[in-house]
Amino acid sequence: MSQTQVLARKWRPKDFSGLTGQDHVIKALTNALEQKRLHHAYLFTGTRGVGKTTIARILAKALNCESGITTKPCGKCAACIEIDSGHFVDLVELDAASNTQVDNMRELLENALYAPTCARYKIYIIDEVHMLSKSAFNAMLKTLEEPPDHVKFVLATTEPQKIPITVLSRCLQFNLKQIPPTLIAIHLKYVLEQEKISCDEASLQLLARAAQGSMRDALSMLDQAIIFGKGKVEETEIHAMLGTIDQTYLYDLLEALIQKDGARMLAVADAIEVRSLSFDTALQELAGLFHSLALAQIVPQAISENVPEHEKICSLAKKFTPEDLQLFYQIALHGRADLGLAPDEYSGFTMALMRMLAFAPESSSENITVSHSPSSIVPKEKLPLFDGKLSKPDINTTHASPPALNVVTALSLDSCTNQLNSDWAVLVNQLKLNGMAKMLAQNCEMKNFSTDNIELCVQAEHKHLLEKTYQDKIKKALSEHFGKPVRLKLSVGSVTGMTPAELDTREKQSKQLQAVAAIETDPFVRELVDNFDAKLIISSIKPI
Ligand SMILES: [Zn+2]
């Protein structure tokens, strides 16, 4: 057996208490088991590696342990041991991805009619159940409608939306969450301690983040890391293995961004290129860092003090406004999406950096600064900024500025959803709100509106804002605004992305683009650029 399988298999939880990050599911399941309220079909949903089939097997043991139906299967009886080793005759595990045909399902269901050979229940675990054909689902539905008492179905899927509603409605559904990096790191640390392998905290954080919510991926990567580091787990080796970017590069970039020092930003990009590190990863990590900074501003306790860069993050967070961070985060995401379209990755990456400079809302220098002589640590062709100044203080965006585009109106033409959203954006600005309540309102979209009943929806990534106190403040502000009591319903759900916060960002970006365009097309500026080898310092342009 290869080393890569060892840890994930060896440390696969054998009972509910060993599971990480799925407390809500465990609680519901143990309650049901304790009260013997047993359903005949369970559906576990969630992304790969979060524990769906692991929970399914533990449930199989809980139902069939010889000590009785229990929340704590003994692990010692024949049933427990055979389920753990995958040899239990009354447990059938089926991968729907390779058994999509109706014939397989019919055969399986015919067998289901017979009583279990030796166990209390015959258990069918069907993984990736959404892959079943329509006729296979129909065959299954008949059994689900009138299930024999001795049969339990445990279904698992990464894509519940592909399961027919008729099947969904007959299952008790549990949604497994992606496991937070902090919990993954704690588990990896535990495993390494048991395995007596040394490691540093930074490595654990890197692995935990790279696993993107999947414990199985985290353990597989840990296996690789152990081989890679010849029995040790060290930060530099992990960077090399994952192709991740040493955080010092990212901090350098942010410091340069704060200073509006374009040359320094390019120098970092050059260093990343020289080391042959991935620009895609660099943008991903940069977005991750902006996310951490935004968290540090709004919910400081969300940044664990165990994270090695805790202090650095907290101090950097004070140097950006929340709006800046939202904008830079977006630019990093879009830059990453555009990377494949860029002339080359270096251009794509540096363009994203320059966009951050160009769109930085605050500017330290006045109006426009142009220069004759390049002098910098990076080659000329990669220089967006020159350091000298040529005074022409009167240039500003009033020159040849096209009529301002009303972003809100333009966006609202598409559909009535957008109309609701732009109405909401206007309304939010009129409400007497501040602080977190305002932030919540700005990150909502309007789903339904009448003057006494308003439904708002917030994206999952902002659900930490859904505190009752903030909701109450919004409700109060709405009631005051309309001069009568307003019923407010706030939920987490999918949004189109046209929140007031997003519309605001777009409007700022649009104004900034117009300002840049106006300056770039200014005849005097063009002449300087063409005849004197001058260049624009984009970061110095701001709309008026
Ligand atoms: Zn047992």
Side-chain angles (χ1 to χ4, degrees):
M1 200 190 316
S2 73
Q3 170 79 21
T4 46
Q5 292 174 319
V6 173
L7 287 181
R9 197 172 291 180
K10 185 170 173 186
W11 294 99
R12 183 172 204 168
K14 295 207 162 42
D15 53 35
F16 290 127
S17 66
L19 276 155
T20 300
Q22 309 298 356
D23 295 354
H24 60 300
V25 172
I26 304 309
K27 198 172 167 200
L29 279 177
T30 49
N31 282 345
L33 287 165
E34 273 163 9
Q35 296 163 23
K36 306 279 186 290
R37 282 187 293 106
L38 301 177
H39 209 263
H40 61 269
Y42 299 81
L43 173 66
F44 296 113
T45 64
T47 51
R48 83 267 167 271
V50 293
K52 296 184 295 294
T53 49
T54 300
I55 292 188
R57 281 197 205 152
I58 297 171
L59 182 60
K61 284 193 286 187
L63 292 168
N64 273 331
C65 178
E66 287 169 15
S67 70
I69 295 174
T70 172
T71 58
K72 297 187 180 73
C74 72
K76 293 180 186 118
C77 69
C80 284
I81 290 171
E82 285 170 18
I83 290 173
D84 276 336
S85 65
H87 298 112
F88 193 60
V89 283
D90 290 312
L91 172 66
V92 180
E93 278 196 63
L94 183 83
D95 182 3
S98 47
N99 295 280
T100 56
Q101 297 308 309
V102 65
D103 292 343
N104 295 331
M105 185 50 63
R106 283 220 182 91
E107 189 187 331
L108 185 142
L109 296 169
E110 274 163 22
N111 280 324
L113 298 175
Y114 301 108
T117 316
C118 55
R120 211 170 286 123
Y121 296 106
K122 211 169 198 172
I123 295 175
Y124 291 89
I125 297 180
I126 306 178
D127 199 10
E128 295 303 344
V129 67
H130 65 273
M131 300 287 284
L132 289 179
S133 66
K134 200 173 165 219
S135 45
F137 268 126
N138 282 337
M140 187 159 94
L141 194 57
K142 283 188 197 125
T143 316
L144 284 178
E145 278 166 348
E146 292 171 39
D149 284 341
H150 60 263
V151 169
K152 302 280 175 213
F153 284 99
V154 186
L155 313 178
T157 182
T158 47
E159 299 180 60
Q161 72 280 6
K162 290 188 181 165
I163 298 177
I165 192 88
T166 43
V167 172
L168 276 182
S169 65
R170 286 178 170 80
C171 296
L172 204 53
Q173 189 174 336
F174 296 94
N175 190 10
L176 274 63
K177 292 188 280 196
Q178 291 205 343
I179 307 165
T182 36
L183 290 182
I184 293 183
I186 290 169
H187 188 66
L188 295 185
K189 191 173 185 180
Y190 168 78
V191 167
L192 286 170
E193 276 166 8
Q194 303 301 309
E195 297 280 334
K196 300 197 170 35
I197 292 171
S198 70
C199 71
D200 51 51
E201 191 64 37
S203 304
L204 295 179
Q205 297 295 337
L206 284 173
L207 288 169
R209 244 177 299 169
Q212 298 187 325
S214 163
M215 187 63 87
R216 185 169 62 221
D217 288 2
L219 287 166
S220 301
M221 283 191 281
L222 184 59
D223 270 315
Q224 281 180 44
I226 293 166
I227 299 171
F228 208 86
K230 301 194 176 66
K232 277 185 289 185
V233 178
E234 284 176 347
E235 188 186 358
T236 44
E237 302 287 333
I238 304 282
H239 278 304
M241 184 187 97
L242 297 175
T244 44
I245 305 292
D246 193 328
Q247 297 277 312
T248 52
Y249 286 126
L250 302 181
Y251 292 127
D252 263 5
L253 278 178
L254 291 198
E255 292 290 352
L257 182 57
I258 292 165
Q259 309 287 332
K260 303 212 181 342
D261 185 344
R264 193 169 146 202
M265 291 180 90
L266 281 192
V268 177
D270 290 345
I272 292 176
E273 191 178 40
V274 169
R275 298 275 304 273
S276 305
L277 298 168
S278 148
F279 285 119
D280 180 65
T281 315
L283 283 173
Q284 185 186 6
E285 303 227 337
L286 205 51
L289 190 51
F290 286 130
H291 172 248
S292 299
L293 294 179
L295 275 182
Q297 282 181 343
I298 296 161
V299 238
Q301 65 272 26
I303 308 290
S304 160
E305 290 187 13
N306 296 331
V307 177
E309 55 266 32
H310 179 263
E311 211 170 295
K312 188 96 188 164
I313 289 175
C314 292
S315 88
L316 273 172
K318 294 189 186 111
K319 297 181 183 167
F320 292 97
T321 67
E323 294 81 12
D324 286 353
L325 289 176
Q326 292 296 327
L327 181 61
F328 296 149
Y329 176 80
Q330 285 295 332
I331 293 175
L333 290 190
H334 290 163
R336 203 176 160 214
D338 290 347
L339 217 48
L341 301 172
D344 54 73
E345 291 215 334
Y346 178 89
S347 314
F349 181 69
T350 48
M351 203 60 189
L353 298 185
M354 283 186 271
R355 204 173 293 156
M356 289 178 198
L357 275 180
F359 288 158
E362 304 270 305
S363 175
S364 53
S365 46
E366 311 172 325
N367 296 316
I368 179 162
T369 317
V370 214
S371 151
H372 297 289
S373 55
S375 68
S376 173
I377 50 169
V378 288
K380 184 185 160 207
E381 62 270 20
K382 287 178 179 173
L383 259 179
L385 306 180
F386 284 33
D387 55 351
K389 291 193 176 184
L390 188 140
S391 66
K392 185 166 187 298
D394 290 342
I395 297 180
N396 60 40
T397 61
T398 52
H399 290 263
S401 180
L405 171 74
N406 185 337
V407 177
V408 172
T409 314
L411 289 167
S412 64
L413 293 175
D414 286 348
S415 67
C416 72
T417 313
N418 283 344
Q419 185 58 49
L420 273 180
N421 284 332
S422 62
D423 289 349
W424 175 237
V426 172
L427 183 56
V428 166
N429 279 329
Q430 295 170 351
L431 294 178
K432 292 196 181 88
L433 284 173
N434 52 31
M436 298 291 278
K438 183 161 190 179
M439 188 170 288
L440 173 58
Q442 284 174 328
N443 281 294
C444 284
E445 286 187 14
M446 186 134 71
K447 291 286 165 197
N448 255 317
F449 173 76
S450 67
T451 52
D452 52 7
N453 188 18
I454 293 179
E455 278 182 40
L456 300 174
C457 182
V458 65
Q459 218 172 345
E461 64 178 279
H462 294 299
K463 70 173 183 221
H464 59 270
L465 295 169
L466 273 184
E467 297 278 338
K468 186 163 183 311
T469 37
Y470 309 142
Q471 297 191 28
D472 288 347
K473 279 184 186 164
I474 296 176
K475 192 172 164 182
K476 185 160 168 269
L478 284 167
S479 301
E480 277 173 12
H481 181 85
F482 290 111
K484 59 180 175 179
V486 170
R487 273 175 40 205
L488 176 67
K489 194 182 154 210
L490 264 154
S491 58
V492 179
S494 63
V495 294
T496 59
M498 292 297 122
T499 57
E502 175 64 21
L503 291 172
D504 198 39
T505 307
R506 289 190 185 207
E507 190 164 26
K508 272 188 197 150
Q509 287 182 349
S510 152
K511 279 188 182 156
Q512 179 68 26
L513 280 173
Q514 286 162 22
V516 172
I519 297 237
E520 280 178 344
T521 52
D522 181 277
F524 178 78
V525 174
R526 283 256 51 89
E527 195 177 298
L528 285 176
V529 170
D530 294 344
N531 299 338
F532 298 97
D533 194 24
K535 288 203 177 177
L536 275 171
I537 297 185
I538 306 241
S539 65
S540 63
I541 302 170
K542 55 178 170 181
I544 55 165

